[in-house]
Coordinates of all heavy atoms in Angstrom, one line a residue:
M779 N 0.8 -1.2 0.0 CA 0.0 0.0 0.0 C 0.9 1.3 0.0 O 0.5 2.2 -0.6 CB -0.9 0.0 1.2 CG -1.9 1.1 1.2 SD -3.1 1.3 2.5 CE -3.8 -0.3 2.6
A780 N 2.0 1.2 0.7 CA 2.9 2.3 0.7 C 3.4 2.7 -0.7 O 3.5 3.9 -1.0 CB 4.1 2.0 1.6
E781 N 3.6 1.7 -1.5 CA 4.1 2.0 -2.9 C 3.0 2.8 -3.6 O 3.3 3.7 -4.4 CB 4.4 0.7 -3.6 CG 5.6 -0.1 -3.0 CD 5.1 -1.0 -1.9 OE1 3.9 -1.2 -1.7 OE2 6.0 -1.6 -1.3
L782 N 1.7 2.4 -3.5 CA 0.7 3.1 -4.2 C 0.5 4.5 -3.7 O 0.2 5.4 -4.4 CB -0.7 2.3 -4.1 CG -0.8 1.0 -4.9 CD1 -2.1 0.4 -4.6 CD2 -0.6 1.3 -6.4
A783 N 0.6 4.6 -2.4 CA 0.5 6.0 -1.8 C 1.6 6.9 -2.3 O 1.3 8.0 -2.7 CB 0.6 5.9 -0.2
R784 N 2.8 6.4 -2.4 CA 3.9 7.2 -2.9 C 3.6 7.5 -4.4 O 3.8 8.7 -4.9 CB 5.2 6.5 -2.8 CG 5.8 6.6 -1.4 CD 7.3 6.2 -1.3 NE 7.4 4.8 -1.6 CZ 7.3 3.8 -0.8 NH1 7.0 4.0 0.5 NH2 7.5 2.5 -1.1
F785 N 3.2 6.5 -5.2 CA 2.9 6.7 -6.6 C 1.8 7.8 -6.8 O 2.0 8.7 -7.7 CB 2.5 5.4 -7.2 CG 2.1 5.6 -8.7 CD1 3.1 5.7 -9.7 CD2 0.8 5.6 -9.1 CE1 2.7 5.8 -11.0 CE2 0.4 5.7 -10.4 CZ 1.4 5.8 -11.4
H786 N 0.8 7.8 -6.0 CA -0.3 8.8 -6.1 C -0.1 10.1 -5.3 O -0.9 11.0 -5.4 CB -1.6 8.1 -5.7 CG -2.2 7.1 -6.6 ND1 -2.9 7.5 -7.8 CD2 -2.1 5.8 -6.6 CE1 -3.2 6.4 -8.4 NE2 -2.8 5.3 -7.8
D787 N 1.0 10.1 -4.6 CA 1.4 11.2 -3.7 C 0.3 11.5 -2.7 O -0.1 12.7 -2.6 CB 1.7 12.4 -4.6 CG 2.4 13.5 -3.8 OD1 3.1 13.2 -2.8 OD2 2.3 14.7 -4.2
V788 N -0.2 10.5 -2.1 CA -1.2 10.6 -1.0 C -0.8 9.7 0.2 O 0.1 9.0 0.1 CB -2.6 10.3 -1.5 CG1 -3.1 11.2 -2.6 CG2 -2.7 8.8 -2.0
S789 N -1.6 9.8 1.2 CA -1.3 8.9 2.4 C -1.8 7.5 2.2 O -2.7 7.3 1.3 CB -1.9 9.6 3.7 OG -3.3 9.5 3.6
M790 N -1.3 6.6 3.0 CA -1.9 5.2 2.9 C -3.3 5.2 3.3 O -4.1 4.4 2.8 CB -1.0 4.3 3.8 CG 0.3 4.0 3.2 SD 1.2 2.6 3.9 CE 1.4 3.2 5.6
T791 N -3.7 6.1 4.2 CA -5.1 6.2 4.6 C -6.0 6.5 3.5 O -7.1 6.0 3.3 CB -5.3 7.2 5.8 OG1 -4.5 6.8 6.9 CG2 -6.7 7.4 6.2
E792 N -5.5 7.5 2.7 CA -6.3 7.9 1.5 C -6.4 6.8 0.5 O -7.5 6.6 -0.1 CB -5.7 9.1 0.8 CG -5.8 10.4 1.7 CD -4.9 11.5 1.3 OE1 -4.9 11.8 0.1 OE2 -4.2 12.0 2.1
I793 N -5.4 5.9 0.3 CA -5.5 4.8 -0.6 C -6.5 3.8 0.0 O -7.4 3.3 -0.8 CB -4.1 4.1 -0.8 CG1 -3.2 5.0 -1.5 CG2 -4.2 2.8 -1.4 CD1 -3.5 5.3 -3.0
A794 N -6.4 3.5 1.3 CA -7.4 2.6 1.9 C -8.8 3.1 1.8 O -9.7 2.3 1.4 CB -7.0 2.4 3.4
L795 N -9.1 4.3 2.0 CA -10.4 4.9 1.9 C -10.9 4.9 0.4 O -12.0 4.6 0.1 CB -10.4 6.3 2.4 CG -10.3 6.5 3.9 CD1 -10.1 7.9 4.3 CD2 -11.4 5.8 4.7
A796 N -10.0 5.2 -0.5 CA -10.3 5.1 -1.9 C -10.7 3.7 -2.3 O -11.7 3.5 -3.1 CB -9.2 5.6 -2.8
W797 N -10.0 2.7 -1.8 CA -10.3 1.3 -2.1 C -11.7 1.0 -1.6 O -12.5 0.4 -2.3 CB -9.3 0.4 -1.5 CG -9.6 -1.1 -1.6 CD1 -9.4 -1.8 -2.7 CD2 -10.2 -1.9 -0.6 NE1 -9.9 -3.1 -2.5 CE2 -10.3 -3.2 -1.2 CE3 -10.6 -1.7 0.7 CZ2 -10.9 -4.2 -0.5 CZ3 -11.1 -2.8 1.4 CH2 -11.2 -4.0 0.8
L798 N -12.0 1.4 -0.3 CA -13.3 1.1 0.3 C -14.4 1.7 -0.5 O -15.4 1.1 -0.8 CB -13.4 1.6 1.7 CG -12.7 0.8 2.8 CD1 -12.7 1.6 4.1 CD2 -13.5 -0.5 3.0
M799 N -14.2 3.0 -0.9 CA -15.3 3.7 -1.6 C -15.5 3.1 -3.0 O -16.6 3.0 -3.5 CB -15.0 5.2 -1.7 CG -15.2 5.9 -0.4 SD -14.9 7.6 -0.4 CE -13.2 7.8 0.0
Q800 N -14.4 2.6 -3.6 CA -14.5 2.0 -5.0 C -15.2 0.7 -4.9 O -15.8 0.3 -5.9 CB -13.1 1.8 -5.5 CG -13.0 1.7 -7.0 CD -11.7 1.9 -7.6 OE1 -10.9 2.8 -7.1 NE2 -11.3 1.2 -8.6
K801 N -15.2 0.1 -3.7 CA -15.9 -1.2 -3.5 C -17.4 -0.9 -3.1 O -18.2 -1.9 -2.9 CB -15.3 -2.0 -2.4 CG -13.9 -2.6 -2.8 CD -14.1 -3.6 -3.9 CE -12.8 -4.2 -4.2 NZ -13.0 -5.2 -5.3
G802 N -17.8 0.3 -3.0 CA -19.2 0.7 -2.7 C -19.4 0.8 -1.2 O -20.6 1.0 -0.8
A803 N -18.4 0.8 -0.4 CA -18.5 1.0 1.0 C -18.5 2.5 1.4 O -17.7 3.2 0.7 CB -17.5 0.2 1.8
I804 N -19.2 2.9 2.3 CA -19.1 4.2 2.8 C -18.5 4.2 4.2 O -19.2 3.9 5.2 CB -20.5 4.9 2.9 CG1 -21.2 4.8 1.5 CG2 -20.4 6.3 3.3 CD1 -20.4 5.5 0.4
P805 N -17.2 4.5 4.3 CA -16.6 4.3 5.7 C -17.1 5.4 6.6 O -17.3 6.6 6.2 CB -15.1 4.5 5.3 CG -15.1 5.2 4.0 CD -16.3 4.8 3.3
V806 N -17.2 5.1 7.9 CA -17.5 6.1 8.9 C -16.2 6.5 9.5 O -15.4 5.7 10.0 CB -18.4 5.4 10.0 CG1 -18.7 6.4 11.1 CG2 -19.7 5.0 9.4
I807 N -15.9 7.7 9.4 CA -14.6 8.3 9.8 C -14.7 9.0 11.1 O -15.6 9.9 11.3 CB -14.0 9.2 8.8 CG1 -14.0 8.6 7.4 CG2 -12.6 9.7 9.1 CD1 -13.2 7.3 7.3
G808 N -13.9 8.7 12.1 CA -13.8 9.4 13.3 C -12.7 10.5 13.2 O -11.6 10.2 13.2
A809 N -13.1 11.7 12.9 CA -12.2 12.8 12.6 C -12.0 13.6 13.9 O -12.9 14.2 14.4 CB -12.7 13.6 11.5
T810 N -10.7 13.7 14.3 CA -10.4 14.6 15.5 C -9.5 15.8 15.1 O -9.2 16.6 15.9 CB -9.7 13.8 16.6 OG1 -8.6 13.2 16.0 CG2 -10.7 12.7 17.1
K811 N -9.1 15.8 13.8 CA -8.3 16.8 13.3 C -8.8 17.3 11.9 O -9.3 16.4 11.2 CB -6.8 16.4 13.2 CG -6.2 16.0 14.5 CD -4.8 15.5 14.3 CE -4.2 15.0 15.6 NZ -2.9 14.5 15.4
L812 N -8.5 18.5 11.5 CA -8.8 19.0 10.2 C -8.2 18.1 9.1 O -8.8 17.8 8.1 CB -8.5 20.4 10.0 CG -8.7 21.1 8.7 CD1 -10.2 21.0 8.3 CD2 -8.2 22.5 8.6
S813 N -7.0 17.7 9.4 CA -6.2 16.9 8.4 C -7.0 15.6 8.1 O -6.9 15.0 7.0 CB -4.8 16.6 8.9 OG -4.8 15.8 10.1
H814 N -7.7 15.0 9.1 CA -8.5 13.8 8.8 C -9.6 14.0 7.8 O -9.8 13.3 6.9 CB -9.1 13.3 10.1 CG -8.1 12.9 11.2 ND1 -8.5 12.7 12.5 CD2 -6.8 12.7 11.1 CE1 -7.4 12.3 13.2 NE2 -6.4 12.3 12.4
V815 N -10.3 15.1 8.0 CA -11.4 15.5 7.1 C -10.8 15.8 5.7 O -11.3 15.3 4.7 CB -12.2 16.7 7.6 CG1 -13.2 17.2 6.6 CG2 -12.8 16.4 9.0
E816 N -9.7 16.5 5.6 CA -9.0 16.8 4.3 C -8.6 15.5 3.6 O -8.7 15.4 2.4 CB -7.9 17.7 4.6 CG -8.3 19.1 5.0 CD -7.1 20.0 5.5 OE1 -6.0 19.4 5.8 OE2 -7.3 21.2 5.5
G817 N -8.1 14.5 4.4 CA -7.7 13.3 3.8 C -8.8 12.5 3.2 O -8.7 11.9 2.2
V818 N -10.0 12.5 3.9 CA -11.2 11.8 3.4 C -11.6 12.5 2.1 O -12.0 11.8 1.1 CB -12.3 11.9 4.4 CG1 -13.6 11.3 3.8 CG2 -12.0 11.0 5.7
A819 N -11.6 13.8 2.1 CA -12.0 14.6 0.9 C -11.0 14.2 -0.3 O -11.5 14.0 -1.4 CB -12.0 16.1 1.1
R820 N -9.7 14.1 0.0 CA -8.8 13.8 -1.1 C -9.0 12.3 -1.6 O -8.8 12.0 -2.7 CB -7.4 14.0 -0.6 CG -6.9 15.4 -0.6 CD -5.4 15.6 -0.4 NE -5.0 14.9 0.9 CZ -4.9 15.6 2.0 NH1 -5.3 16.8 2.2 NH2 -4.5 14.9 3.1
A821 N -9.4 11.4 -0.6 CA -9.6 10.0 -1.0 C -10.8 9.9 -2.0 O -10.7 9.0 -2.8 CB -9.9 9.2 0.3
T822 N -11.7 10.8 -1.9 CA -12.8 10.7 -2.9 C -12.4 11.1 -4.3 O -13.1 10.7 -5.3 CB -14.0 11.7 -2.5 OG1 -13.5 13.0 -2.6 CG2 -14.5 11.4 -1.1
E823 N -11.2 11.7 -4.4 CA -10.7 12.1 -5.8 C -9.8 11.0 -6.4 O -9.4 11.1 -7.5 CB -9.9 13.4 -5.6 CG -10.8 14.5 -5.1 CD -10.0 15.8 -4.8 OE1 -8.7 15.7 -4.8 OE2 -10.6 16.8 -4.4
Q824 N -9.5 9.9 -5.6 CA -8.6 8.9 -6.0 C -9.4 7.9 -6.9 O -10.4 7.4 -6.5 CB -7.9 8.2 -4.9 CG -7.0 9.0 -4.1 CD -5.8 9.5 -4.9 OE1 -5.2 8.8 -5.7 NE2 -5.5 10.8 -4.8
A825 N -8.8 7.5 -8.0 CA -9.4 6.4 -8.8 C -8.3 5.4 -9.0 O -7.3 5.6 -9.6 CB -9.8 7.0 -10.2
L826 N -8.5 4.2 -8.3 CA -7.5 3.1 -8.4 C -7.8 2.3 -9.7 O -9.0 2.0 -10.0 CB -7.6 2.3 -7.2 CG -7.3 3.0 -5.8 CD1 -7.6 2.0 -4.7 CD2 -5.9 3.5 -5.8
T827 N -6.8 1.9 -10.3 CA -6.9 1.0 -11.5 C -7.3 -0.4 -11.0 O -7.1 -0.8 -9.9 CB -5.7 0.9 -12.3 OG1 -4.6 0.3 -11.6 CG2 -5.2 2.3 -12.8
E828 N -7.8 -1.3 -12.0 CA -8.0 -2.7 -11.6 C -6.8 -3.3 -11.1 O -6.8 -4.2 -10.2 CB -8.6 -3.4 -12.8 CG -10.0 -3.1 -13.1 CD -10.6 -3.9 -14.3 OE1 -10.3 -5.2 -14.3 OE2 -11.3 -3.4 -15.1
E829 N -5.6 -3.0 -11.7 CA -4.4 -3.6 -11.3 C -4.0 -3.2 -9.9 O -3.5 -4.0 -9.1 CB -3.2 -3.2 -12.3 CG -3.4 -3.8 -13.6 CD -4.3 -3.0 -14.5 OE1 -4.7 -1.9 -14.2 OE2 -4.7 -3.6 -15.6
E830 N -4.3 -2.0 -9.5 CA -4.0 -1.5 -8.2 C -4.9 -2.2 -7.2 O -4.5 -2.5 -6.1 CB -4.1 0.0 -8.1 CG -3.0 0.7 -8.9 CD -3.2 2.2 -9.0 OE1 -4.4 2.7 -9.0 OE2 -2.2 2.9 -9.1
V831 N -6.2 -2.3 -7.5 CA -7.1 -3.0 -6.6 C -6.7 -4.5 -6.4 O -6.7 -5.0 -5.3 CB -8.6 -2.9 -7.2 CG1 -9.5 -3.8 -6.4 CG2 -9.0 -1.5 -7.1
T832 N -6.3 -5.1 -7.5 CA -5.8 -6.5 -7.4 C -4.6 -6.6 -6.5 O -4.5 -7.5 -5.7 CB -5.5 -7.1 -8.8 OG1 -6.7 -7.0 -9.6 CG2 -5.0 -8.5 -8.7
Y833 N -3.7 -5.6 -6.7 CA -2.5 -5.6 -5.8 C -2.9 -5.4 -4.3 O -2.3 -6.1 -3.5 CB -1.6 -4.4 -6.3 CG -0.4 -4.1 -5.4 CD1 0.7 -4.9 -5.4 CD2 -0.5 -3.0 -4.5 CE1 1.8 -4.6 -4.5 CE2 0.6 -2.7 -3.6 CZ 1.7 -3.5 -3.7 OH 2.7 -3.3 -2.8
L834 N -3.8 -4.5 -4.0 CA -4.2 -4.3 -2.7 C -4.9 -5.5 -2.1 O -4.7 -5.8 -0.9 CB -5.1 -3.1 -2.6 CG -4.5 -1.7 -2.8 CD1 -5.6 -0.7 -2.9 CD2 -3.5 -1.4 -1.7
E835 N -5.6 -6.3 -2.9 CA -6.4 -7.4 -2.4 C -5.6 -8.7 -2.4 O -6.1 -9.7 -1.9 CB -7.7 -7.6 -3.2 CG -8.6 -6.4 -3.0 CD -9.8 -6.4 -3.9 OE1 -9.9 -7.3 -4.8 OE2 -10.7 -5.6 -3.7
A836 N -4.4 -8.7 -3.0 CA -3.7 -10.0 -3.1 C -3.4 -10.7 -1.8 O -3.4 -11.9 -1.7 CB -2.3 -9.7 -3.8
C837 N -3.1 -10.0 -0.7 CA -2.8 -10.6 0.6 C -4.0 -10.7 1.5 O -3.9 -11.1 2.6 CB -1.7 -9.8 1.2 SG -0.2 -9.8 0.3
Y838 N -5.2 -10.2 1.0 CA -6.4 -10.2 1.9 C -7.0 -11.6 2.0 O -7.2 -12.3 1.0 CB -7.4 -9.2 1.3 CG -8.7 -9.2 2.1 CD1 -8.7 -8.7 3.4 CD2 -9.9 -9.7 1.5 CE1 -9.9 -8.7 4.1 CE2 -11.0 -9.7 2.2 CZ -11.1 -9.2 3.5 OH -12.2 -9.3 4.2
T839 N -7.3 -12.0 3.2 CA -8.0 -13.3 3.4 C -9.3 -13.0 4.1 O -9.3 -12.6 5.2 CB -7.1 -14.2 4.3 OG1 -5.8 -14.4 3.8 CG2 -7.8 -15.6 4.5
P840 N -10.4 -13.2 3.4 CA -11.7 -12.9 4.0 C -12.0 -13.9 5.2 O -11.5 -15.0 5.2 CB -12.7 -13.2 2.9 CG -11.9 -13.5 1.6 CD -10.5 -13.6 2.0
H841 N -12.7 -13.4 6.1 CA -13.1 -14.2 7.2 C -14.6 -14.0 7.6 O -15.1 -13.0 7.2 CB -12.2 -13.9 8.5 CG -12.3 -12.5 8.9 ND1 -11.6 -11.5 8.3 CD2 -13.1 -11.9 9.8 CE1 -11.9 -10.3 8.9 NE2 -12.8 -10.5 9.8
A842 N -15.2 -14.9 8.2 CA -16.6 -14.8 8.6 C -16.8 -13.7 9.6 O -15.9 -13.4 10.5 CB -17.0 -16.1 9.2
L843 N -17.9 -13.0 9.4 CA -18.2 -11.9 10.4 C -18.7 -12.6 11.7 O -19.2 -13.7 11.7 CB -19.4 -11.1 9.8 CG -19.1 -10.3 8.6 CD1 -20.3 -9.6 8.0 CD2 -18.0 -9.3 8.8
V844 N -18.5 -11.8 12.8 CA -18.8 -12.3 14.1 C -19.6 -11.2 14.8 O -19.6 -10.0 14.4 CB -17.6 -12.7 14.9 CG1 -16.9 -13.9 14.3 CG2 -16.6 -11.6 15.1
G845 N -20.2 -11.5 15.9 CA -20.9 -10.6 16.8 C -22.1 -9.9 16.1 O -22.8 -10.5 15.3
V846 N -22.3 -8.6 16.3 CA -23.4 -7.9 15.8 C -23.4 -7.9 14.2 O -24.4 -8.0 13.6 CB -23.4 -6.5 16.3 CG1 -24.5 -5.6 15.6 CG2 -23.6 -6.4 17.8
M847 N -22.2 -7.8 13.6 CA -22.1 -7.8 12.2 C -22.6 -9.1 11.6 O -23.2 -9.1 10.5 CB -20.7 -7.5 11.7 CG -20.2 -6.1 12.1 SD -21.3 -4.8 11.4 CE -21.1 -5.0 9.7
A848 N -22.4 -10.2 12.3 CA -22.9 -11.5 11.8 C -24.4 -11.6 11.8 O -25.0 -12.4 11.1 CB -22.2 -12.6 12.6
Q849 N -25.0 -10.9 12.8 CA -26.4 -10.9 12.9 C -27.1 -9.9 12.0 O -28.3 -10.0 11.9 CB -26.8 -10.5 14.4 CG -26.2 -11.5 15.4 CD -26.3 -11.0 16.8 OE1 -27.0 -10.0 17.1 NE2 -25.6 -11.6 17.7
N850 N -26.4 -9.1 11.3 CA -27.0 -8.1 10.4 C -27.2 -8.7 9.0 O -26.5 -8.5 8.1 CB -26.0 -6.9 10.3 CG -26.7 -5.8 9.6 OD1 -27.9 -5.7 9.4 ND2 -25.8 -4.8 9.1
T851 N -28.3 -9.5 8.9 CA -28.7 -10.1 7.7 C -30.1 -9.7 7.2 O -30.8 -9.1 8.0 CB -28.7 -11.7 7.9 OG1 -29.7 -12.0 8.8 CG2 -27.3 -12.2 8.4
R852 N -30.4 -10.0 6.0 CA -31.7 -9.7 5.4 C -32.8 -10.5 6.2 O -33.9 -10.0 6.4 CB -31.8 -10.0 3.9 CG -31.0 -9.1 3.1 CD -31.1 -9.5 1.6 NE -30.1 -8.7 0.9 CZ -30.3 -8.1 -0.2 NH1 -31.4 -8.3 -0.8 NH2 -29.4 -7.4 -0.8
E853 N -32.5 -11.7 6.5 CA -33.4 -12.5 7.2 C -33.7 -12.0 8.6 O -34.9 -12.0 9.1 CB -32.9 -14.0 7.4 CG -32.7 -14.7 6.1 CD -31.4 -14.3 5.4 OE1 -30.5 -13.9 6.0 OE2 -31.4 -14.5 4.1
A854 N -32.7 -11.4 9.3 CA -32.9 -10.9 10.6 C -33.6 -9.5 10.6 O -34.1 -9.0 11.6 CB -31.6 -10.8 11.3
A855 N -33.6 -8.8 9.4 CA -34.2 -7.5 9.4 C -35.6 -7.4 9.8 O -36.0 -6.3 10.4 CB -34.0 -6.9 8.0
D856 N -36.4 -8.4 9.6 CA -37.8 -8.3 10.0 C -38.1 -8.9 11.3 O -39.3 -8.9 11.8 CB -38.7 -9.1 8.9 CG -38.6 -8.4 7.5 OD1 -38.5 -7.2 7.5 OD2 -38.6 -9.1 6.5
Q857 N -37.1 -9.4 12.0 CA -37.3 -10.0 13.3 C -37.3 -8.9 14.4 O -36.7 -7.9 14.3 CB -36.2 -11.0 13.6 CG -36.2 -12.2 12.7 CD -35.1 -13.2 12.9 OE1 -34.3 -12.9 13.8 NE2 -35.0 -14.2 12.2
P858 N -38.2 -9.1 15.4 CA -38.2 -8.1 16.5 C -36.9 -8.0 17.2 O -36.1 -9.0 17.3 CB -39.3 -8.7 17.5 CG -39.6 -10.0 17.0 CD -39.0 -10.3 15.7
K859 N -36.5 -6.8 17.6 CA -35.3 -6.5 18.3 C -35.5 -6.3 19.8 O -36.6 -6.0 20.2 CB -34.6 -5.3 17.8 CG -34.6 -5.2 16.3 CD -33.6 -6.2 15.7 CE -33.5 -6.1 14.2 NZ -34.5 -6.6 13.3
V860 N -34.5 -6.6 20.6 CA -34.6 -6.3 22.0 C -34.4 -4.9 22.4 O -33.6 -4.2 21.8 CB -33.6 -7.2 22.8 CG1 -34.3 -7.9 24.0 CG2 -32.8 -8.1 22.0

């Protein structure tokens, strides 16, 4: 990821956020500094190529969700909550 960040002249956080947004995810950012907000804004301007996405995902191993995230399913959406 560091190589892509240097290539695009942005932070690794911006590359990670750009990847998430390109996948259709909307990350929730806890910003405590102006630079955090500015980084998120810059990440929206990043367009990663298919090769860059493949590079970023090469070492990723998906795992099953656990806890509340595992319970967040379409089937559970209509069930009463506590």
